[in-house]
């Protein structure tokens, strides 16, 4: 079996949220998809260890925020690399509640859907929650974020076949090492810089300001290691 075949499956990127009593939580998920049209049902696959799993099982309701392609790394890091057990993930994030009282993110979101769980499937490490959509709204038009775009473009490791790839002079690229965040796996590519934090392209890692932090998870420069 070639496990790389699995990497050829394409996905979007979503914030899946739920509630337990008056507590709210959400997480990044790439597995959210429509199952049927009549009635409209969707499914999400959530790791059993995640707090969102516990909340969905408790309240039987979840909401999916469909992220826009331009969603900043910091938003994805907030929901993808922190645990709701330690922080309130919605603190400092613009959100509203669905009619069922589940939060959806208002900034950088194209649409949200609220679903009531009608079936739960035990899939080993994950639960698949199948939900009947009972409320949904398009917030704005735009291109949805895909998992591939997030990894290949937002994280800076751009394959040469990508339309956004800009070839640079060889001597410059060999002297510019990439650095990997040991906390979350984000790759700092000096050719691209970190535009979301005003770091221009062609900035070597060593020239980053001392207070620069990982745009995804917030780790300091000392948490980075040279790639390879
Ligand atoms: Fe990081």
């Amino acid at each position: 079996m070639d496990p790389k075949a699995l990497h050829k499956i394409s996905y979007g990127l979503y914030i899946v949220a739920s509630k337990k009593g008056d507590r709210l939580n959400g997480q990044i998920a790439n597995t959210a998809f429509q199952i049927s049209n009549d009635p409209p049902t969707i499914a999400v696959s959530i790791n059993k260890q995640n707090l969102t799993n516990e909340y969905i099982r408790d309240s039987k309701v979840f909401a999916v925020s469909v992220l826009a392609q331009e969603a900043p790394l910091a938003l994805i890091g907030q929901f993808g690399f922190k645990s709701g057990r330690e922080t309130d993930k919605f603190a400092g994030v613009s959100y509203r509640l669905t009619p069922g009282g589940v939060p959806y993110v208002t900034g950088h979101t194209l649409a949200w859907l609220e679903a009531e769980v009608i079936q739960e499937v035990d899939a080993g490490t994950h639960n698949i929650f199948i939900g009947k959509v009972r409320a949904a709204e398009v917030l704005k038009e735009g291109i949805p974020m895909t998992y591939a775009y997030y990894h290949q473009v937002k994280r800076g490791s751009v394959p040469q076949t990508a339309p956004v790839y800009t070839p640079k002079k060889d001597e410059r690229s060999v002297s510019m090492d990439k650095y990997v965040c040991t906390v979350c796996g984000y790759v700092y590519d000096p050719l691209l810089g970190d535009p979301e934090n005003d770091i221009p392209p062609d900035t070597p890692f060593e020239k980053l300001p001392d207070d620069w932090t990982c745009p995804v998870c917030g780790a300091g420069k000392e948490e980075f290691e040279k790639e390879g």
Side-chain angles (χ1 to χ4, degrees):
M1 182 187 100
D2 184 355
K4 289 200 195 77
L6 291 165
H7 300 162
K8 302 301 181 197
I9 299 175
S10 52
Y11 298 97
L13 211 59
Y14 312 94
I15 293 174
V16 175
S18 189
K19 64 172 181 175
K20 186 177 185 180
D22 56 4
R23 281 174 294 162
L24 308 173
N25 195 54
Q27 64 161 78
I28 294 289
N30 63 317
T31 42
F33 48 95
Q34 184 171 1
I35 301 276
S36 64
N37 197 37
D38 188 20
T41 57
I42 56 174
V44 293
S45 176
I46 303 290
N47 194 300
K48 287 178 182 172
Q49 295 181 353
N50 291 356
L51 193 61
T52 303
N53 188 294
E54 178 188 324
Y55 282 20
I56 297 175
R57 298 192 79 191
D58 184 83
S59 65
K60 306 289 183 215
V61 60
F62 63 89
V64 175
S65 302
V66 181
L67 292 177
Q69 187 173 274
E70 73 272 13
L73 290 170
L75 177 70
I76 296 164
Q78 169 87 357
F79 285 94
F81 293 96
K82 292 181 179 143
S83 170
R85 294 188 179 89
E86 282 126 42
T87 54
D88 175 2
K89 292 214 228 174
F90 283 93
V93 175
S94 304
Y95 71 92
R96 280 200 284 270
L97 297 178
T98 65
V102 179
Y104 63 91
V105 175
T106 52
H108 313 291
T109 294
L110 300 182
W112 60 266
L113 306 98
E114 180 201 278
E116 175 188 0
V117 175
I118 53 172
Q119 197 181 339
E120 180 186 315
V121 180
D122 187 327
T125 55
H126 289 61
N127 285 123
I128 299 166
F129 297 102
I130 300 171
K132 189 172 162 183
V133 178
R134 56 186 191 189
E137 184 186 7
V138 173
L139 298 179
K140 62 175 176 180
E141 295 302 327
I143 302 170
M145 176 83 87
T146 63
Y147 195 64
Y149 184 89
Y150 171 66
H151 274 284
Q152 293 169 4
V153 183
K154 300 286 280 184
R155 289 194 150 194
S157 67
V158 183
Q160 295 189 16
T161 51
V164 293
Y165 180 80
T166 31
K168 294 273 164 53
K169 284 180 188 157
D170 281 348
E171 63 270 25
R172 216 170 9 164
S173 56
V174 291
S175 64
M176 302 258 274
D177 293 309
K178 292 181 186 177
Y179 278 73
V180 184
C181 175
T182 57
V183 177
C184 76
Y186 165 83
V187 178
Y188 176 77
D189 183 345
L191 291 178
L192 302 175
D194 176 13
E196 288 178 16
N197 291 298
D198 299 323
I199 305 293
D202 294 323
T203 304
F205 183 81
E206 294 77 9
K207 294 270 176 66
L208 289 170
D210 290 340
D211 61 354
W212 179 84
T213 58
C214 173
V216 177
C217 76
K221 279 181 79 176
E222 68 282 358
E223 306 278 2
F224 279 71
E225 286 174 356
K226 199 183 283 192
E227 189 179 64

